[in-house]
Amino acid sequence: METKRIVFVGVGGQGNLLASRLLGEACLSAGIPAVVSEIHGMAQRGGIVESAVVMGYATSPIVSKGEADILIGFEPSETLRALNKCNKDTVVITNIRPLPPFTVAIGQGVYPDIDKSLDLIRDNVRSLIALDGDELAEKAGNPLSLNMVMLGALVGSKVIPLDEDILKETISKTTKQTFLESNLKAFDFGVAASRVG
Amino acid sequence: MHKLLIDSPDKEMLLLGNEAIARGAIEAGIAVATCYPGTPSSEIPDNFFTMFKEGGFYFEYSTNEKVALEVAAGAAISGVRSICTMKHVGMNVASDTLMTLAYLGVNAGMVIINADDPLMFSSQNEQDNRYYARLSGLPMIEPKNAQEMKDMTVDAFDLSEQLKLPVVLRTTTRLNHLRGMVKFGQIRQIKSKGFFKKDPFHYVAIPAVSRNLHKMLVEKYDQALELSENSEYNQIIGNGKWGIVTNGVSLSYVQDAVNDLGIGDKVTILRLGFSYPMPENMIVKFLTRVEKVLVVEELEPVMENDIRSIAQSKEIVIPIKGKEKDLFSRLFEFDPGMVRRTIASYFGVPDTSPEVVDVTGIPDLPGRPPNLCAGCPHRAMYYAIKQVYGPDAVHPSDIGCYTLGVLPPLSMADIVICMGASVGTSCGISKATDQKVVSFIGDSTFFHAGIPALINAVHNNHKFTLVILDNGTTAMTGNQPHPGVDTTPMGVDTTQLSIESMVRGCGVEHVQVVNPLQVKKSIEAAKVSKDFDGISVIISKELCPLYARAIKKAKKARPFYVNQDKCKQHLDCINLLACPAMYIDDGKTMINEVFCIGCTVCAQVCPENAILPLKKLA
Ligand SMILES: Cc1ncc(C[n+]2csc(CCOP(=O)(O)OP(=O)(O)O)c2C)c(N)n1
Ligand code: SF4
Ligand code: SF4
């Protein structure tokens, strides 16, 4: 298959490492070669967390500037920060719920205007799928299921050759029973939202 | 059963690089595993910790890397297989042992896992530890992906037994923290008991013995060289006229670049996986086949210089380039695009890289540095010290979560070098200046490297205050236990040491123990230390709340809110304490009740008593 390079960005605690790992596991089930790369260490302290999945026959585990086929941002200002991973053919999927960093509270920076940011992204890439992932996660009954919403949005966008069932199977295998229902629901909401978008 | 213990050869699993190494150790039948944690190596020992009982081997978190290496060496010299893991700077700590252990050698396989960190994702420097192989004379191997991290670990034990030398397996952060497919192999039976056979003329490194041992080590080089020449991990791939030499994860960048650029038929790649000793004959064979060479290696020009010297000795005159302006830098990590562009320009082919979107329209984004968590006891102690000592005291600090106190508004770290250096530098700064010195060290770091320096401070009558930030765990690297931790809840039988007794045992007479979440008492303790003319220690004792939650010892607490009728906007809470649960919205100071863990510190700091607990539990 054609190589697909997918970059995930988010903030410590949002669960994007789990999302990239599940995508990697799903590739394994589907017989698609994949490498996942993560950076551990600072996640729990509110820093930026980036991970990547490279599907197909490329062997490099990371994605260079301008080379992402898909960018998945769990937080809008982080999507903007990672825009240098994109080229004009990139598909961007972003959560629009802001999580301003502490530097904003102590007056060391200004949080960007969301609508303007989305326009800026839309103008520069192939397509933008923007959704309120936190709202969908809450609606699914588990605010921590944002990562499932975003995975759903990825699959719903149809830019990677993996179907819903394979991902749902992977999610079912790895999720504790208590969260399974809400996680699958969140995933479905994500799929639906990205179809509309 | 722990997933890494499953005894079904040919099973395939998506594993983290570090899990793959741990699995390799299991397949090799290790009897003893030791470590001091450190990113990016920590998941290797953390996996050992969760499976050593079930796996039937011995594992310990040692006090520091030097001790870890010695424990593993003692075991391997006694005839059982051992593994020792550390991050690159840990090798500096262990190096005194390493250098002479190479003389002694081992009787059963011993593998040292060394994790380098190009770009310093989580380290104080990006030293290139390939030099340690050259310095010590120990063989080094470098995997390229998750599968090889497993396979090479297994092979490293056999190699070690062939040479009777410890073998260093070097990784970089990208490898440690990638996930890739790994096919399992057979698990070898553990030989768990050895026997120490006395042989003082081999194991007692006095000059007369060492002269002989060094000769033996030099002779082993030739044997290792032979193995390197024939290793499956050293490979000449292709038969084009353009030569590329590479190692580790860079191989994947090179192979992708060659594919992307469509120059497969023009290129010959020399991949060095058994990278020390360098396979000289193979390199000569490679050099005589190509017209020019590009060396693709992160950090220092190690292979480049060695290959140049081999070329010189064989009078081969072709361009051999690597670290040069317009080619590769000695700084930071490589990436596939950068490698592709450099290969394209060096060999003069058009670059196929896509164009990065125009990002000039993006406004300046607010920074998102990692921060001490909401309710972190380190922050509370920093506040108390700052209140008493003001902005002029000098704060040597150390390595751990608490280093994040360097950020404003706390600004509580003035010099950080390496683990333990807070105490030693405090001695020098307090002697050389008339400034007040209050230094900070974490509990794990204190055990690791703080104690000899504290003894020095007492013995040589230095005058400063050392604050030991005792949060009951090694938080920065993932909550590993250390000698001050009670490991009974983890089902492990170790002996807990009291930091207070240790400090008194070092000869410090002025010792105070405080709970940093009690602000008044902490300020009082800081004042007492300020008035004392000599060496004093404050032990700031409160569990890391994240760790407390993990071991189910978190106290139930109510989150706080700001009563807007009482709040007079002094902003002391934000400007002096800066808990990340607080924010300003529309000019009002607010607390995010989801992030707030109810530590009460801001409420104690607020001069208006405007910060109050909510009715519900956090
Ligand atoms: C020689 C060396 N080994 C390991 C590390 C990795 N490391 C950084 S901080 C740290 C431990 C910090 O624990 P502690 O002092 O208890 O502070 P905390 O993070 O709990 O606040 C470790 C192991 C290092 N930087 N240097
Ligand atoms: S993990 Fe624990 S010690 Fe580290 S910053 Fe968070 S609360 Fe503090
Ligand atoms: S009580 Fe105050 S200082 Fe403590 S976590 Fe909550 S907001 Fe932060």
Side-chain angles (χ1 to χ4, degrees), chain B residues 8 40 48 62 127 130 246 263 284 374 376 380 416 432 485 503 534:
Chain B
S8 52
F48 289 150
S62 310
Q127 64 185 54
R130 290 178 297 166
T246 191
I263 53 172
V284 170
C376 177
V416 170
V485 174
V503 170

Side-chain angles (χ1 to χ4, degrees), chain B residues 134-391:
Chain B
R134 282 134 182 102
L135 188 62
S136 65
L138 293 178
M140 177 171 275
I141 52 178
E142 299 181 68
K144 65 175 181 192
N145 60 18
Q147 182 69 50
E148 274 197 1
M149 290 174 89
K150 196 276 284 171
D151 294 342
M152 271 196 182
T153 304
V154 181
D155 294 344
F157 281 95
D158 295 328
L159 179 62
S160 166
E161 282 168 9
Q162 268 173 294
L163 294 168
K164 294 191 147 240
L165 283 179
V167 168
V168 184
L169 187 150
R170 172 186 183 255
T171 61
T172 54
T173 303
R174 278 303 161 193
L175 289 162
N176 297 95
H177 289 169
L178 61 71
R179 273 175 211 277
M181 211 68 84
V182 176
K183 191 176 192 177
F184 283 13
Q186 216 101 39
I187 295 182
R188 204 180 126 126
Q189 198 69 34
I190 298 175
K191 177 191 171 202
S192 52
K193 268 286 166 263
F195 185 79
F196 182 87
K197 231 169 88 197
K198 294 190 185 197
D199 183 3
F201 291 102
H202 191 116
Y203 292 115
V204 180
I206 51 174
V209 173
S210 289
R211 283 182 204 118
N212 192 31
L213 294 179
H214 191 194
K215 183 164 164 274
M216 283 167 59
L217 177 62
V218 169
E219 284 160 7
K220 282 183 188 174
Y221 177 90
D222 294 333
Q223 210 187 332
L225 180 62
E226 183 69 32
L227 293 169
S228 170
E229 297 282 8
N230 296 306
S231 167
E232 60 177 306
Y233 297 120
N234 291 334
Q235 261 182 307
I236 296 177
I237 309 161
N239 46 26
K241 290 285 173 207
W242 299 343
I244 300 177
V245 185
T246 191
N247 67 330
V249 73
S250 302
L251 176 66
S252 59
Y253 307 154
V254 167
Q255 285 182 319
D256 285 354
V258 167
N259 283 339
D260 294 346
L261 297 168
I263 53 172
D265 56 335
K266 297 197 173 68
V267 167
T268 301
I269 297 173
L270 172 64
R271 182 267 162 130
L272 296 177
F274 189 151
S275 62
Y276 186 81
M278 298 266 276
E280 286 176 30
N281 291 337
M282 184 183 273
I283 289 168
V284 170
K285 190 163 124 196
F286 165 80
L287 291 175
T288 49
R289 276 208 219 162
V290 297
E291 286 165 355
K292 61 195 287 200
V293 174
L294 182 66
V295 185
V296 186
E297 59 187 325
E298 289 174 320
L299 302 176
E300 301 301 321
V302 175
M303 299 193 300
E304 182 185 340
N305 289 343
D306 282 3
I307 290 172
R308 277 220 193 93
S309 106
I310 291 170
Q312 198 274 344
S313 72
K314 299 287 174 204
E315 296 177 22
I316 300 171
V317 187
I318 53 170
I320 298 169
K321 304 254 156 124
K323 302 292 168 179
E324 204 165 280
K325 197 167 162 284
D326 300 328
L327 295 176
F328 291 111
S329 167
R330 287 169 53 201
L331 304 176
F332 312 147
E333 196 188 30
F334 287 0
D335 66 76
M338 160 220 273
V339 169
R340 186 192 314 114
R341 277 190 302 280
T342 311
I343 290 178
S345 86
Y346 184 68
F347 294 109
V349 291
D351 174 24
T352 55
S353 302
E355 209 172 306
V356 182
V357 296
D358 177 12
V359 291
T360 47
I362 298 181
D364 275 344
L365 295 169
R368 198 185 289 273
N371 195 350
L372 294 170
C373 305
C376 177
H378 296 334
R379 175 183 290 104
M381 196 60 201
Y382 284 147
Y383 171 81
I385 296 289
K386 190 74 144 213
Q387 286 301 298
V388 174
Y389 283 86

Side-chain angles (χ1 to χ4, degrees), chain A:
Chain A
M1 71 164 273
E2 199 193 335
T3 300
K4 290 280 179 205
R5 297 180 170 89
I6 305 147
V7 173
F8 294 78
V9 288
V11 175
Q14 286 188 314
N16 62 327
L17 291 186
L18 180 62
S20 52
R21 197 181 102 204
L22 289 177
L23 182 59
E25 300 271 4
C27 291
L28 170 63
S29 308
I32 298 172
V35 210
V36 183
S37 95
E38 309 172 351
I39 287 298
H40 298 190
M42 292 295 184
Q44 57 184 197
R45 286 155 209 94
I48 301 163
V49 183
E50 193 186 297
S51 55
V53 179
V54 178
M55 300 170 61
Y57 290 98
T59 54
S60 302
I62 51 171
V63 180
S64 298
K65 279 185 189 152
E67 302 195 359
D69 295 297
I70 304 145
L71 169 66
I72 305 178
F74 283 47
E75 200 280 345
S77 73
E78 294 312 326
T79 311
L80 211 51
R81 204 192 305 273
L83 206 61
N84 63 3
K85 291 281 182 197
C86 303
N87 57 58
K88 63 179 187 352
D89 293 319
T90 308
V91 173
V92 178
I93 302 173
T94 188
N95 180 17
I96 57 167
R97 179 82 66 92
L99 205 64
F102 189 70
T103 47
V104 172
I106 59 172
Q108 282 183 353
V110 184
Y111 195 84
D113 180 287
I114 299 283
D115 289 331
K116 275 194 203 148
S117 304
L118 295 180
D119 287 342
L120 197 143
I121 298 172
R122 209 175 279 117
D123 289 347
N124 280 288
V125 299
R126 174 150 66 116
S127 65
L128 169 70
I129 298 168
L131 61 162
D132 189 336
D134 287 273
E135 185 181 282
L136 295 175
E138 281 150 28
K139 211 172 94 185
N142 175 9
L144 294 177
S145 62
L146 171 67
N147 48 7
M148 301 298 138
V149 175
M150 300 309 286
L151 263 184
L154 169 66
V155 172
S157 74
K158 297 236 182 288
V159 277
I160 54 164
L162 279 180
D163 60 28
E164 289 170 40
D165 293 343
I166 282 213
L167 268 147
K168 282 187 168 175
E169 222 175 86
T170 313
I171 294 171
S172 307
K173 262 193 273 177
T174 47
T175 308
K176 277 201 198 121
Q177 204 55 41
T178 27
F179 298 115
L180 186 55
E181 200 194 314
S182 58
N183 271 1
L184 290 174
K185 226 179 191 177
F187 178 84
D188 283 337
F189 287 153
V191 173
S194 82
R195 284 216 181 106
V196 177

Side-chain angles (χ1 to χ4, degrees), chain B residues 381-438:
Chain B
M381 196 60 201
Y382 284 147
Y383 171 81
I385 296 289
K386 190 74 144 213
Q387 286 301 298
V388 174
Y389 283 86
D392 295 331
V394 181
H395 300 298
S397 189
D398 227 297
I399 306 199
C401 279
Y402 51 96
T403 320
L404 298 173
V406 65
L407 294 178
L410 296 170
S411 308
M412 289 301 265
D414 295 319
I415 168 169
V416 170
I417 303 178
C418 64
M419 288 186 79
S422 58
V423 192
T425 51
S426 296
C427 295
I429 294 168
S430 60
K431 268 284 181 253
T433 70
D434 288 328
Q435 290 160 287
K436 277 275 177 204
V437 174
V438 184

Side-chain angles (χ1 to χ4, degrees), chain B residues 374-375 560 579 581 591 596-600 602:
Chain B
F560 282 66
C579 170
I591 291 175
C596 171
I597 64 160
C599 78
T600 77
C602 58

